[in-house]
Amino acid sequence: MLLRNRAVFARGLRVCSTRLMKGPAVVAARPISDMSEFRKVFSNAKHIAIITGAGVSAESGVPTFRGENEKWRKWLSQDLATPEAFSRTPSRVWEFYHYRREMALNKKPSAAHLAIAECEARLSKQGRSVVVITQSIDDLHRQAGSKHVLKVHGNLMETRCVSCGHVSVNRRSPICAALKDKGSPDPDVADAQIPVDKLPRCGESDCRGLLRPNVVFFGETLDSHILTKVEKEMETCDLCLVVGTSSIVYPAAMFGPQIASRGVPVAEFNMNITPKSEYFT
């Protein structure tokens, strides 16, 4: 099984690293940019896995939280998106995610989202399949029309109760009254310091527990059910497209190279070379 060696996938933990992790030997590919050759490979593929990242949503106006958008106020986004930060300062973390939710709720799918959805629709009529394995936590793939989407880092439009564990879809704007007009990324804006009992609360009877975004924080283990589905897709696909991802967040950064290690063609669509480009054809 491709995911049996949990060391390669940081034990399923979501971590951010610019270093290549140790794992199964993967022979470096000799990349080409011959579109006609790619079309031949594409036309013969029966089961295509498309791995997407924040770059697909960047053209929709959703920040990638890298480079100039790496900070929210004075904090690095990966330092806010942790279970420790949520435990210490739930108000600050909820402001950060409220900002991200409100932004995502007001965006439309990009040309990439639409092309991927159209690809799935066209190929399904030919008896071929497409699965989207995305690191993005927005809802734009679904809005574009993609049907088969695996969200490895969770869904920003869902909440999970820290007390009872109940998960529900939540697209309310604002998500609670106390967060209305909060969450500005301006470094001069002070924390709202919202009391915990005024933050989003569970609606299940007799619970009223604190809600959190149903996303995978850095340092948390990815959903084992999602990983099992990803593993199956990685084992059965005969073509992989890696689209709009910097390939520095693990374990997702290893998905493409693991597929390439089976000898399956992997095509990368990015604005820049990434740490994993050398593994792709």
Side-chain angles (χ1 to χ4, degrees):
M1 301 290 280
L2 287 173
L3 295 184
R4 68 182 182 276
N5 186 349
R6 292 289 176 172
V8 177
F9 292 89
R11 301 192 177 200
L13 295 179
R14 184 185 179 191
V15 295
C16 182
S17 175
T18 55
R19 297 171 297 174
L20 296 180
M21 296 180 68
K22 294 181 179 180
V26 179
V27 178
R30 297 176 62 184
I32 60 172
S33 296
D34 185 339
M35 187 56 72
S36 63
E37 181 64 26
F38 170 72
R39 287 196 180 98
K40 292 177 184 177
V41 174
F42 184 89
S43 66
N44 291 324
K46 302 297 183 184
H47 183 58
I48 301 172
I50 304 181
I51 300 171
T52 72
V56 173
S57 298
E59 196 168 336
S60 294
V62 179
T64 61
F65 296 99
R66 294 282 182 268
E68 63 181 22
N69 297 309
E70 195 167 16
K71 283 189 175 182
W72 176 85
R73 293 181 185 166
K74 60 183 179 182
W75 293 280
L76 292 174
S77 57
Q78 59 260 39
D79 292 335
L80 290 171
T82 69
E84 294 80 12
F86 188 75
S87 178
R88 287 193 307 267
T89 55
S91 174
R92 179 187 298 159
V93 174
W94 255 122
E95 277 200 85
F96 170 63
Y97 276 101
H98 176 67
Y99 164 68
R100 298 185 69 177
R101 278 173 54 91
E102 292 296 300
M103 181 175 295
L105 283 168
N106 290 299
K107 301 304 180 184
K108 300 296 183 184
S110 68
H113 290 114
L114 296 171
I116 289 169
E118 183 179 348
C119 175
E120 179 183 356
R122 286 188 180 187
L123 267 56
S124 67
K125 295 177 181 178
Q126 303 170 17
R128 302 158 71 191
S129 66
V130 171
V131 59
V132 178
I133 301 170
T134 187
Q135 299 168 74
S136 296
I137 60 175
D138 56 51
D139 208 30
L140 294 174
H141 276 300
R142 184 196 63 82
Q143 288 184 43
S146 290
K147 306 298 184 185
H148 193 183
V149 181
L150 298 176
K151 288 175 167 277
V152 297
H153 291 159
N155 189 343
L156 190 58
M157 300 307 159
E158 292 180 351
T159 54
R160 184 169 82 246
C161 178
V162 300
S163 296
C164 72
H166 180 71
V167 174
S168 62
V169 175
N170 191 320
R171 296 190 178 90
R172 288 197 302 268
S173 173
I175 190 170
C176 70
L179 281 166
K180 181 177 175 59
D181 299 324
K182 300 297 191 295
S184 168
D186 190 323
D188 294 326
V189 173
D191 284 1
Q193 297 186 354
I194 301 168
V196 175
D197 63 346
K198 300 298 183 184
L199 292 172
R201 311 301 294 190
C202 183
E204 291 297 286
S205 59
D206 301 324
C207 181
R208 295 295 298 164
L210 177 65
L211 294 179
R212 55 164 281 180
N214 190 32
V215 299
V216 181
F217 289 148
F218 287 103
E220 289 186 325
T221 303
L222 273 62
D223 187 312
S224 61
H225 298 294
I226 295 294
L227 276 178
T228 297
K229 292 179 181 180
V230 169
E231 178 183 73
K232 180 180 178 181
E233 301 296 342
M234 289 168 59
E235 290 179 332
T236 58
C237 70
D238 54 5
L239 173 64
C240 174
L241 312 185
V242 176
V243 186
T245 173
S246 57
S247 294
I248 63 172
V249 177
Y250 292 83
M254 285 302 296
F255 292 167
Q258 283 294 108
I259 293 171
S261 73
R262 293 200 294 115
V264 173
V266 179
E268 184 180 45
F269 295 81
N270 272 320
M271 299 297 289
N272 301 296
I273 298 295
T274 73
K276 298 295 181 289
S277 296
E278 63 182 302
Y279 298 117
F280 305 146
T281 47

